[in-house]
C-alpha cells in the first residue's frame, strides 16, 4: 500500500433533499464521459452497466435547471454523449469545493493522523482462512 493509499481523505457529498445526491462518483462519471464521448464507455471504465451509468446521467440532468450531459444521435460515427457547458462548470465547481473543504479541515486531518493507530491490522487480516 502506497502512502497515498493510506492517507486520510475526506469525501464530499452534497445531499439534495429529498433524495438526490452529488458526489465523487457522479463527477467521475462526467469526467469519463468528457474523456470518452460515451456513457457506455464511461460506465465500463467505472465497472458499471450502461443502464446504471445512464440512470446516473439521467438523475444528474434532472437535478439541475440545465442538463450536464447531452446525447448525440447516431450517424457514421454512431451515437455518443457530450458534456454541456453547465456539465463542465459542475465538474470544476465540485472539484474546487473538494479542494477548499480539504484545506478547511487540514489541521484536523493532521491531528487525526497523529492519533491514528497505524499498525492495527484490519479485522479481515486477522481472521483465520480455514
Amino acid at each position: 500500500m502506497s502512502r497515498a493509499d493510506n492517507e486520510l481523505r475526506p469525501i464530499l457529498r452534497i445531499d439534495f433533499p429529498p433524495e438526490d445526491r452529488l458526489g465523487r462518483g457522479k463527477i467521475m462519471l462526467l469526467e469519463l464521459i468528457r474523456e470518452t464521448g460515451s456513457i457506455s464507455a464511461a460506465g465500463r471504465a467505472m465497472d458499471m452497466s450502461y443502464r446504471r451509468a445512464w440512470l446516473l446521467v439521467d438523475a444528474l440532468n434532472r437535478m439541475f435547471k440545465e442538463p450536464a450531459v447531452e446525447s448525440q444521435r447516431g450517424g457514421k460515427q454512431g451515437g455518443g454523449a457530450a458534456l454541456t457547458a453547465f456539465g463542465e462548470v459542475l465538474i470544476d465547481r465540485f472539484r474546487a469545493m473538494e479542494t477548499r473543504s480539504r484545506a478547511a479541515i487540514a489541521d484536523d486531518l493532521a491531528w487525526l493522523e497523529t492519533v491514528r493507530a497505524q499498525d492495527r491490522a484490519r479485522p479481515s487480516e486477522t481472521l483465520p482462512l480455514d
Side-chain angles (χ1 to χ4, degrees):
M1 184 179 320
S2 74
R3 176 151 170 73
D5 291 341
N6 201 26
E7 288 180 359
L8 300 178
R9 60 188 170 274
I11 306 295
L12 178 64
R13 184 181 86 184
I14 310 296
D15 288 338
F16 289 70
E19 60 192 31
D20 290 325
R21 289 179 213 73
L22 179 64
R24 63 188 182 144
K26 286 179 181 158
I27 295 299
M28 183 183 294
L29 182 64
L30 290 178
E31 290 169 332
L32 287 166
I33 290 169
R34 176 177 56 199
E35 182 180 311
T36 65
S38 164
I39 294 171
S40 60
R44 277 193 306 274
M46 294 181 71
D47 200 26
M48 71 174 69
S49 69
Y50 170 76
R51 177 166 170 70
R52 176 77 176 134
W54 186 89
L55 289 171
L56 291 171
V57 167
D58 186 56
L60 272 166
N61 282 345
R62 286 183 290 104
M63 285 172 64
F64 301 101
K65 293 177 183 178
E66 298 180 47
V69 177
E70 290 180 335
S71 296
Q72 298 175 330
R73 296 286 175 223
K76 272 188 172 182
Q77 302 297 323
L83 293 188
T84 63
F86 172 74
E88 293 286 353
V89 170
L90 181 59
I91 291 170
D92 292 345
R93 297 288 295 241
F94 186 86
R95 294 302 186 197
M97 285 187 282
E98 284 182 316
T99 299
R100 287 192 308 273
S101 62
R102 276 192 304 272
I105 63 171
D107 290 342
D108 297 308
L109 289 174
W111 177 81
L112 287 170
E113 190 65 50
T114 65
V115 298
R116 177 178 167 192
Q118 295 280 344
D119 296 333
R120 284 184 50 193
R122 292 189 177 131
S124 62
E125 295 171 347
T126 61
L127 297 176
L129 297 175
D130 41 29

